[in-house]
């Protein structure tokens, strides 16, 4: 961490500050010097630091004042106090007020290095602990990628190849198809899995708030900024930052994002300096970014920086054979969250009916429906009469392949492919049963899936 950590050294004796700055800089730290308490507080407000080395006794504004200001700006910021031998009692008082540690003058440089390393390690562990708690909560509700269709097997293979790269990835897919799950898989299958995974939806916050959320801010940068914020790029240092729905990001923020992608530098709102971060960016969108670039609504340079590797997540209608496995997966999750529910399984007829629906909302829509059926179900088996009230009234025939063929002439091979897929879905994913009903060999279904699946992906 020392190669990127920024440290503020505070001492009203300039030579003492310089004496510490030179060896710490040689160790890889980025070191700033404050020549007094007032100067230190001003710098803390202007820039985000990872640790502070502060003299206790200074004129006018002393170390206690700096400590109090630092804890108000960033409660997790470690402050190490320096004091003369006679000031040990005051140093102990400073620790009671939140200082990380203290050492006495004259001091050995190795003592300073050790204290600083411990302070930074504690900060890292606190951040990691919060991240792991958040990850555990997030992953418990989202589950994992589910499906064994040809489209999903191809996606798994790509994830395995791309995860170990540090290159930016653009995940493309319709809303509700599971793009964040792909981003998490890229993170946890790669070299950064021990680091934080941080996610933000670019449409969830107004422009000004999203800027502060991403890049951080110093205290007083704008109305309501009563404390400093590190920002998600800093929180994700050493890990992955997932930018969901990147296509809706404002052009001004795209320009700031470009600087991070090119130089790895982040400047907090209101700060007079930047800091370096090591973050892998995974972005996702359901938008046609190429069209938005042509229309001037998305920066071309940002698009090319993000579009190093593209992963396409197929919509649920293109992998209907995965629907039974997804239903079982969501059923178990819903039962765990609703232990008093009597529902145990779905009938074959219900599975077939669900497999034939259009699923405009993709996997998210399916998950919500399964959870609703588990919560409201009154019998062990969810059958068609229980399912029908939860379905749109106009979905019974709109997804049938022949309905599209009646509206317009489509190629015969396409009609055959769609009808076979519909038949498999109606049979709850049982290809052998579908083949029997269609009067064909099951190997024909497998060959058709292989032949028609690759061009779609």
């Amino acid at each position: 961490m020392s190669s990127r950590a920024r440290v503020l050294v505070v001492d009203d004796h300039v030579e003492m500050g310089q004496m510490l700055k030179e060896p710490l800089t040689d160790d890889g730290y980025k070191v700033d010097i404050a020549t007094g308490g007032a100067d230190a507080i001003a710098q803390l407000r202007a820039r985000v630091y990872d640790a502070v080395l502060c003299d206790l006794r200074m004129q006018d504004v002393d170390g206690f004042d700096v400590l109090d200001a630092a804890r108000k700006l960033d409660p997790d910021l470690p402050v190490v106090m320096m004091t003369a031998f006679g000031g040990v009692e005051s140093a102990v008082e400073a620790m009671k007020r939140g200082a990380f540690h203290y050492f006495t003058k004259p001091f050995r440089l190795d003592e300073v290095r050790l204290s600083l390393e411990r302070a930074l390690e504690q900060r890292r562990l606190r951040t990691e602990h919060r991240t792991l708690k958040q990850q555990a909560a997030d992953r418990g509700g989202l589950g994992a990628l589910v499906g064994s269709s040809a489209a999903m097997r191809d996606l798994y293979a790509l994830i395995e190849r791309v995860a170990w790269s540090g290159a930016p990835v653009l995940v493309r897919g319709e809303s509700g198809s599971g793009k964040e799950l792909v981003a998490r898989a890229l993170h946890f299958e790669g070299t950064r899995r021990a680091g934080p995974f941080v996610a933000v939806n670019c449409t969830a916050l107004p422009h000004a708030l999203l800027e502060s959320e991403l890049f951080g801010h110093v205290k007083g940068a704008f109305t309501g900024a009563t404390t400093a914020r590190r920002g998600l790029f800093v929180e994700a240092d050493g890990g992955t930052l997932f930018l969901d729905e990147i296509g809706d990001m404002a052009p001004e923020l795209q320009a700031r994002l470009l600087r991070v992608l090119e130089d790895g530098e982040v400047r907090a709102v209101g700060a007079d300096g930047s800091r370096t971060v090591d973050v892998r960016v995974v972005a996702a969108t359901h938008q046609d970014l190429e069209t938005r670039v042509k229309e001037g609504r998305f920066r071309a340079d940002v698009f090319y920086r993000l579009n190093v590797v593209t992963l396409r997540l197929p919509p649920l209608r293109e992998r209907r054979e995965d629907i039974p496995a997804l239903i079982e997966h969501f059923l178990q999750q819903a039962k765990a969250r609703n232990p008093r529910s009597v529902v145990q399984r779905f009938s074959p007829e219900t599975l077939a009916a669900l497999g034939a629906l259009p699923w405009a909302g993709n996997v998210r829509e399916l998950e919500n429906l399964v959870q609703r059926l588990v919560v409201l179900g009154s019998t062990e088996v969810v059958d068609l009469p229980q399912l029908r009230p939860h379905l749109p009234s106009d979905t019974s025939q709109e997804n049938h392949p022949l309905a599209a063929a009646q509206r317009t002439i489509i190629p015969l091979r396409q009609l055959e492919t769609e009808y076979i897929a519909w038949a498999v879905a109606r049979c709850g994913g049982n290809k052998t049963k579908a083949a029997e009903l269609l009067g064909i060999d099951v190997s024909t279904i497998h060959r058709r899936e292989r032949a028609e699946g690759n061009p779609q992906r």
Side-chain angles (χ1 to χ4, degrees):
M1 184 174 181
S2 63
S3 63
R4 297 186 299 275
R6 185 175 291 278
V7 179
L8 179 63
V9 176
V10 187
D11 202 304
D12 54 1
H13 294 88
V14 179
E15 62 275 12
M16 178 63 70
Q18 289 294 339
M19 187 181 73
L20 284 170
K21 179 176 181 177
E22 293 179 6
L24 291 178
T25 300
D26 291 340
D27 289 344
Y29 295 100
K30 296 178 180 178
V31 182
D32 294 334
I33 295 178
T35 57
D39 184 22
I41 293 173
Q43 293 199 51
L44 286 169
R45 288 173 175 167
R47 174 171 284 170
V48 177
Y49 288 93
D50 297 297
V52 178
L53 298 177
C54 183
D55 191 19
L56 184 57
R57 295 301 179 190
M58 295 180 290
Q59 294 183 355
D60 298 326
V61 180
D62 64 11
F64 285 110
D65 297 319
V66 175
L67 173 62
D68 291 341
R71 289 189 59 77
K72 288 179 181 178
L73 290 167
D74 184 354
D76 288 336
L77 179 64
V79 179
V80 180
M81 309 302 297
M82 301 180 289
T83 183
F85 182 76
V88 170
E89 291 184 1
S90 297
V92 173
E93 175 63 23
M95 292 186 64
K96 291 179 180 179
R97 292 168 62 168
F100 174 79
H101 193 51
Y102 73 92
F103 52 86
T104 58
K105 300 177 180 179
F107 51 79
R108 299 191 309 273
L109 189 58
D110 287 344
E111 181 183 13
V112 178
R113 287 189 172 109
L114 180 61
S115 183
L116 185 57
E117 288 172 2
R118 287 176 175 173
L120 292 169
E121 178 65 7
Q122 184 184 83
R123 182 182 179 95
R124 184 190 67 79
L125 289 174
R126 284 180 178 175
T127 301
E128 183 176 287
H129 178 65
R130 286 197 302 269
T131 301
L132 289 174
K133 286 179 64 178
Q134 185 61 47
Q135 288 173 357
D138 291 345
R139 296 175 75 187
L142 292 169
L145 288 167
V146 175
S148 58
S149 62
M152 293 303 290
R153 290 198 303 270
D154 286 350
L155 180 62
Y156 299 150
L158 278 174
I159 289 174
E160 290 179 355
R161 291 167 55 189
V162 174
W164 289 85
S165 166
V169 177
L170 183 61
V171 183
R172 313 186 80 155
E174 296 179 4
S175 296
S177 56
K179 295 186 289 295
E180 183 170 343
L181 292 179
V182 173
R184 289 179 180 275
L186 286 167
H187 174 77
F188 288 106
E189 292 294 325
T191 57
R192 295 172 178 264
R193 57 183 175 272
F197 177 90
V198 180
V200 62
N201 190 316
C202 297
T203 64
L205 296 171
H207 162 67
L209 291 181
L210 180 59
E211 181 181 29
S212 174
E213 188 80 3
L214 288 173
F215 305 104
H217 63 256
V218 299
K219 182 180 179 181
F222 51 84
T223 302
T226 56
T227 60
R229 180 177 178 82
R230 302 178 74 195
L232 296 184
F233 270 105
V234 176
E235 292 291 338
D237 195 12
T240 302
L241 178 61
F242 174 55
L243 302 175
D244 197 9
E245 298 303 347
I246 189 72
D248 296 314
M249 179 178 283
E252 307 93 286
L253 286 188
Q254 294 175 32
R256 297 200 63 181
L257 174 62
L258 181 64
R259 180 175 178 84
V260 184
L261 293 173
E262 290 182 336
D263 305 325
E265 292 186 356
V266 176
R267 175 176 292 192
V269 177
D272 60 358
S274 59
R275 65 172 293 164
T276 303
V277 293
D278 174 24
V279 175
R280 184 187 196 180
V281 174
V282 177
T285 183
H286 73 281
Q287 304 273 8
D288 183 347
L289 288 188
E290 290 85 351
T291 298
R292 293 180 75 84
V293 168
K294 292 177 182 178
E295 296 172 348
R297 292 189 290 170
F298 199 85
R299 291 177 60 116
D301 45 10
V302 175
F303 172 68
Y304 294 127
R305 282 286 179 180
L306 292 173
N307 197 36
V308 176
V309 177
T310 296
L311 297 182
R312 178 180 179 270
L313 186 56
L316 191 54
R317 63 182 175 275
E318 291 184 11
R319 55 184 188 108
R320 293 183 180 277
E321 58 267 46
D322 291 332
I323 290 178
L326 285 164
I327 290 174
E328 179 62 24
H329 176 72
F330 294 138
L331 174 62
Q332 298 306 320
Q333 285 189 337
K335 286 170 56 181
R337 290 193 293 265
N338 302 275
R340 298 181 64 180
S341 173
V342 299
V343 174
Q344 296 298 319
R345 59 188 177 87
F346 286 20
S347 71
E349 294 77 15
T350 301
L351 290 175
L354 291 172
L357 292 177
W359 297 116
N362 290 293
V363 177
R364 185 186 295 124
E365 182 185 0
L366 175 61
E367 179 182 11
N368 291 341
L369 177 58
V370 171
Q371 183 171 352
R372 186 159 63 250
L373 290 169
V374 169
V375 171
L376 300 177
S378 57
T379 60
E380 289 189 0
V381 180
V382 177
D383 54 19
L384 282 177
Q386 292 186 59
L387 174 65
R388 288 194 182 99
H390 303 281
L391 299 179
S393 59
D394 60 344
T395 60
S396 58
Q397 294 297 325
E398 70 175 14
N399 199 55
H400 195 292
L402 294 179
Q406 290 173 345
R407 292 190 295 269
T408 183
I409 297 177
I410 62 176
L412 183 59
R413 184 174 180 83
Q414 178 183 338
L415 179 61
E416 290 177 351
T417 299
E418 293 179 358
Y419 189 77
I420 289 174
W422 178 83
V424 172
R426 291 285 294 183
C427 294
N430 189 327
K431 297 174 186 177
T432 301
K433 181 178 179 181
E436 291 176 357
L437 294 174
L438 291 169
I440 61 176
D441 192 90
V442 70
S443 61
T444 302
I445 296 180
H446 291 297
R447 284 198 305 271
R448 184 60 63 89
E449 285 179 347
R450 289 194 296 270
E452 301 295 334
N454 290 334
Q456 292 179 349
R457 294 186 300 276

